[in-house]
Amino acid sequence: MDRRDLLRADIAVSLNLVSADEAANGGLLSLSDVDQTRIEQEMATVLDAAEGDVDRALRDRGIDAGLNAHLEADVSHALAESGTRSRTRLRTLEKGRYAGFMPLGEGGMGTVYLALDTELNRKVAFKMIRTGGAGPTTDAPTEVREDLEARFFQEAWVTGSLEHPGIVPIYELGRTPSGVPYYTMRPIRGERTLDTAIQEAATPEERLALLEPFLKVCDAIRYAHARHVVHRDLKPANVALGPYGEVVVLDWGLAKLQEERAQADSRWQERLDELREQTDLKTLASALGTPGFMAPEAALGRVAEVDARSDVYSLGAILHLVLTGRYPFSFGSYADYVRAVQQGIESVLGVPAGLERICLQAMATEREERYADAGALAADIRRWQAESVLARERDALDKEVRSAFEVLDSMEGDGKLQQLDRVVALASRMRELAPDDEEPDAILARVHAQRADTMRARERTVRRALLRRVAALALLVGTGAAVLVAVLLEGRRREAVDARAQESIPLAAWRRPRARGRPAPARAPSTPAPAHPPPRAAAPRAARP
């Protein structure tokens, strides 16, 4: 079934001439001439509104849900890939469904209110096309520009098809009582955007901290690229930051499916030549993106070349603003911007070399030189962060090693050896962080030399201490020997004195006392006294007279 036959079948189903099943299986051939005429008349009206473009007519109408369900698988897949949607007629907002409308903000295309969903008792963000007067509860019919309506539906459909924490979910799509399209979505807590955060960042450290929300933006766009969706209007003002780390990418009104023409491309392309002469950059941004963040191919109007790499360029421009607090280019008109973006940038001053390289690659003038998608860009930044952490640890280790060597000169002995052991541990960690670096080897060689010097000094100290101990022991031994000799000599002397004293004792002191009444026996006067008294048992008794 070609696109024209598909449009005829959809019109027949909408006119209730055939069922969806019959239309999908060739039931139009059995219709009467009258019914065929009605179909042709309606088809002429539809194609006239679509300027003869069948694909555009199909996209504007959508495909009846029942008909789409009965189409062959390859046809249904082709329709889904081309961006068509199964059609359910937009409901008209019921009175009282939403209450407490409070304006939250207004953009180039729509107005957003905070409202209470009375059916589910929850707060929602209620967005409707900005008309200049009609509100959510206005009953009077209101005309809406065709290109704004197409862009609004595209934003709702694209956003509703992307399910990611960084992309706001869509709850409902419909029309207000005045006929103005609206959709509801999850409200975003807080009123802060990445643009506000960049303006508030006063120091390089505060700007580097914004890499965390920036990477979450890259993750959301990476998901969209995986679904073949290109945002085309990435800028800090379209990134909402919540109070609990939420990061949400907004405004998908310019989004398109890769390799397919977006619904409003042809209409905006017609205005491109006129817009190129505009100095009103807001007008330009409403059609093709935002100057300052637009890729060269978008700025030059080559819409067919816009793809994931175009989003990468916009992310690179955001990264430049995050890192420096400045826009990549200075310009006052669209013509100035086109000249600047074609020339490109050669450096990003005042940022780490690794991040400068990443930013320059993302903003390369030639599409083929950029990252293939947002995922590759985010991976490179995370790699730099990991290397930066290791580099900071390496710098800290270098400082510790230098400090350790500075105090080594004032240390000695065991304390110095312990400090050298600490330096060895630091050098080992440095080698783990950078296996190819030669500095740890130089540090270990220096440690080895100092350890050898320390050990030699320690051996000399131990040798001197041992000699002192030996000398002291020798002195002690010599003194002891002298005392011993003196004691021995004194003992001998005392023995001699005692001997002489024994010799001088009278013999009568050793005799037994004479018995009473008995005369003492006679003794020759010339007999000398014995040196020692004889044993008592051997003494002879005196003869009795």
Side-chain angles (χ1 to χ4, degrees), residues 512-523:
R512 295 179 61 90
R514 188 178 57 185
R516 284 184 183 177
R518 296 181 182 177
R523 180 181 178 187

Side-chain angles (χ1 to χ4, degrees), residues 126-362:
F126 184 101
K127 183 173 183 177
M128 60 180 290
I129 293 179
R130 183 163 60 92
T131 60
T137 58
T138 302
D139 294 330
T142 303
E143 291 293 330
V144 179
R145 276 174 39 193
E146 184 181 358
D147 59 335
L148 281 182
E149 185 172 282
R151 178 180 170 185
F152 187 85
F153 284 137
Q154 178 170 295
E155 179 180 42
W157 286 336
V158 170
T159 309
S161 68
L162 300 176
E163 299 178 1
H164 187 275
I167 302 173
V168 63
I170 301 298
Y171 295 148
E172 180 189 26
L173 177 65
R175 293 184 183 273
T176 67
S178 60
V180 179
Y182 76 89
Y183 65 81
T184 60
M185 56 185 169
R186 186 189 69 200
I188 302 170
R189 292 184 290 271
E191 300 178 356
R192 197 163 180 252
T193 65
L194 182 57
D195 190 37
T196 306
I198 293 172
Q199 295 176 26
E200 294 174 351
T203 65
E205 291 75 16
E206 291 176 349
R207 286 194 288 270
L208 283 176
L210 295 178
L211 284 178
E212 180 181 356
F214 176 78
L215 285 171
K216 290 183 179 180
V217 174
C218 291
D219 290 338
I221 300 303
R222 174 191 176 193
Y223 168 79
H225 289 168
R227 298 291 302 272
H228 308 293
V229 175
V230 182
H231 188 283
R232 298 205 301 178
D233 194 20
L234 290 170
K235 55 185 176 182
N238 281 344
V239 178
L241 306 180
Y244 302 105
E246 306 98 318
V247 178
V248 180
V249 180
L250 306 174
D251 199 352
W252 294 80
L254 290 180
K256 64 171 288 187
L257 292 173
Q258 294 188 60
E259 301 178 359
E260 296 291 342
R261 186 176 60 182
Q263 289 192 19
D265 268 356
S266 59
R267 302 172 195 179
W268 292 329
Q269 185 69 49
E270 292 170 1
R271 300 177 59 199
L272 182 58
D273 292 336
E274 175 187 352
L275 290 170
R276 285 177 177 171
E277 306 301 325
Q278 290 280 350
T279 56
D280 180 3
L281 298 179
K282 290 185 177 180
T283 302
L284 179 63
S286 69
L288 294 172
T290 303
F293 304 98
M294 294 170 61
E297 57 272 17
L300 292 171
R302 299 197 293 262
V303 179
E305 297 179 13
V306 173
D307 60 6
R309 288 181 171 87
S310 304
D311 277 352
V312 168
Y313 185 94
S314 299
L315 290 170
I318 295 173
L319 179 61
H320 186 288
L321 187 58
V322 166
L323 296 175
T324 66
R326 303 184 305 273
Y327 287 88
F329 308 107
S330 297
F331 54 91
S333 66
Y334 181 61
D336 292 341
Y337 181 71
V338 170
R339 284 191 293 270
V341 79
Q342 285 181 296
Q343 183 177 358
I345 59 175
E346 297 180 355
S347 63
V348 185
L349 300 178
V351 303
L355 287 178
E356 180 186 31
R357 177 190 61 77
I358 293 171
C359 189
L360 291 176
Q361 182 175 347

Side-chain angles (χ1 to χ4, degrees), residues 20 63-72 75-76 79-80 84-86:
I63 301 300
D64 182 271
L67 176 61
N68 193 45
H70 286 83
L71 292 173
E72 297 177 5
V75 177
S76 298
L79 291 173
T84 57
R85 298 292 187 273
S86 295

